[in-house]
Amino acid sequence: MLLMLDGLDELPSEQHAFAIKALDRAVGAGDRLVITCLAAEYEAAVARSDGS
């Protein structure tokens, strides 16, 4: 399976961590994931999702 999310940074910033967690749950072993996002916003979203 290939999951794609175009524009993570276009979601409201308070939803970034939720989106990362949902993607983590949706992706199974062997699945592929493509996310397009500005690097700084992605790094911040991952940091928030790991810390909550």
Side-chain angles (χ1 to χ4, degrees):
M1 178 183 348
L2 174 63
L3 298 173
M4 299 183 75
L5 175 62
D6 179 22
L8 175 69
D9 55 316
E10 295 177 22
L11 292 172
S13 60
E14 62 273 5
Q15 293 181 356
H16 289 173
F18 173 79
I20 293 292
K21 288 178 183 180
L23 289 166
D24 284 345
R25 287 190 303 271
V27 175
D31 289 343
R32 295 179 181 168
L33 174 63
V34 175
I35 298 175
T36 64
C37 183
L38 299 171
E41 282 80 357
Y42 178 75
E43 291 173 4
V46 169
R48 284 191 303 272
S49 70
D50 287 344
S52 39

